[in-house]
């Protein structure tokens, strides 16, 4: 009798925009694995999240990735969690074991590996724009890369100060964000500014050192106004982080090799174009 296919997926609200199914299908196809990775929309309440997750577990899913707005719900629902997920306060991976659910956070290693693609020595000083959920993962990634000093700036200063207390960071006023740029080795935008439908991020990159890295974690649009302004610097776009964060889930659930390469990126770019014209 042939074995039944491995099932995994991504849950969020909305979830139709997710490119994760394309990433996992590409890797499954490359490794000749009999498996499906399915997007599942779960309305934004913790109750519905728990019900659907229990259902997916019952029908035999190996695990799921979790995206907005359920990453905190995922961590709360799990029976156990990695240290990094606990520190991030959010989980983007749930693995269903026979008698327990385990939560992990691969956004952190995903961003760290996206940085390593650009440089093995990202320097000492990171400047993080924004203090929401995404900023927490980025801060942990920068700390894991060995950056000695991380500065955070946010429109609402109190939120930056709360993160600074928790992760030992420096804080600068949002209005003074340009001033801290001259010593930054890596600049990361985690705010929603620059996303499709949002105002652009206003920042003057003229004092940024030529070798500094500029990163934006969104992929809609792929080339945000910030990344456009950073031409000439090493840049990291949202697709790079997305591809790298998918690796641990694929390995865990499908059990195959997952390689982030130019061919995968081209597949995603083709899919983005197809959706734009569909
Ligand atoms: P995520 O989980 O993606 O981090 P979030 O928690 O809603 O999303 O955080 C959004 C971030 O974008 C916050 O840092 C937010 O700043 P505030 O804390 O002041 O709200 C930032 N942001 C959103 N709109 C902004 C704007 N118009 N100007 C400056 N920052 C903005």
């Amino acid at each position: 009798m042939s074995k039944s296919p491995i099932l995994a997926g991504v849950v969020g609200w909305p979830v139709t925009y997710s490119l994760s199914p394309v990433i996992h299908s590409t890797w499954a196809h490359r490794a000749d694995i009999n498996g499906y990775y399915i997007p599942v929309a779960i309305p934004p309440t913790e109750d519905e999240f728990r019900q659907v997750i229990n259902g997916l577990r019952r029908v035999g899913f190996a695990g799921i990735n979790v995206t907005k707005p359920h990453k905190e719900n995922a961590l709360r629902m799990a029976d156990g969690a990695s240290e990094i997920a606990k520190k991030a306060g959010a989980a983007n991976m749930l693995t269903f074991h026979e008698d327990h659910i385990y939560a992990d956070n691969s956004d952190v290693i995903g961003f760290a590996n996206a940085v390593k693609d650009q440089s093995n020595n990202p320097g000492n000083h990171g400047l993080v724009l924004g203090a929401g959920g995404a900023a927490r993962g980025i801060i942990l990634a920068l700390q894991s890369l060995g950056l000695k000093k991380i500065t955070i700036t946010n429109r609402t200063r109190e939120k930056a100060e709360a993160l600074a207390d928790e992760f030992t960071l420096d804080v600068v006023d949002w209005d003074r964000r340009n001033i801290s740029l001259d010593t930054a080795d890596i600049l990361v935008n985690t705010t929603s500014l620059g996303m499709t439908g949002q105002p652009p991020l206003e920042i003057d990159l003229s004092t940024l050192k030529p070798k500094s890295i500029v990163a934006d974690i969104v992929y809609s649009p792929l080339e945000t106004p910030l990344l456009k302004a950073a031409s000439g610097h090493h840049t990291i776009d949202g697709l790079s982080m997305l591809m790298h964060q998918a690796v641990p889930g694929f390995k865990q659930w499908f059990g195959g090799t997952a390689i982030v390469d130019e061919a995968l990126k081209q597949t995603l770019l083709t899919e983005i174009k197809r959706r734009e014209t569909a």
Side-chain angles (χ1 to χ4, degrees), residues 10-18 40-45 49 65-74 90-92 107 132-135 190-192 195 198 217-218:
V10 54
V11 301
W13 184 268
V15 81
T16 38
Y17 67 87
S18 173
V40 180
I42 307 183
T45 71
F49 177 78
N65 283 123
V66 181
T67 187
K68 269 187 166 185
H70 290 301
K71 290 185 183 184
E72 287 87 5
N73 293 340
N92 74 323
D107 288 331
T190 75
T191 73
S192 45
M195 274 175 77
Q198 299 290 324
I217 62 169
V218 300

Side-chain angles (χ1 to χ4, degrees), residues 68 130-134 154-156 159 174 190-193:
K68 269 187 166 185
N154 191 52
R155 177 180 60 178
T156 312
K159 280 163 75 181
W174 180 247
T190 75
T191 73
S192 45
L193 296 171

Side-chain angles (χ1 to χ4, degrees), residues 106-175:
S106 65
D107 288 331
V108 176
I109 196 166
F111 185 73
N113 284 338
V115 173
K116 284 183 191 163
D117 271 356
Q118 293 298 326
S119 167
N120 280 325
N121 178 18
N124 288 317
H125 182 202
L127 176 61
V128 177
L129 309 178
R136 300 176 70 87
I138 297 300
I139 290 162
L140 287 167
L142 294 178
Q143 289 182 334
S144 79
L145 288 164
L147 272 82
K148 306 243 172 349
K149 172 174 154 152
I150 298 173
T151 305
I152 183 164
T153 179
N154 191 52
R155 177 180 60 178
T156 312
R157 186 176 166 110
E158 298 77 57
K159 280 163 75 181
E161 278 170 357
L163 283 188
D165 282 348
E166 193 176 341
F167 294 107
T168 321
L169 318 170
D170 293 340
V171 181
V172 295
D173 265 350
W174 180 247
D175 292 343

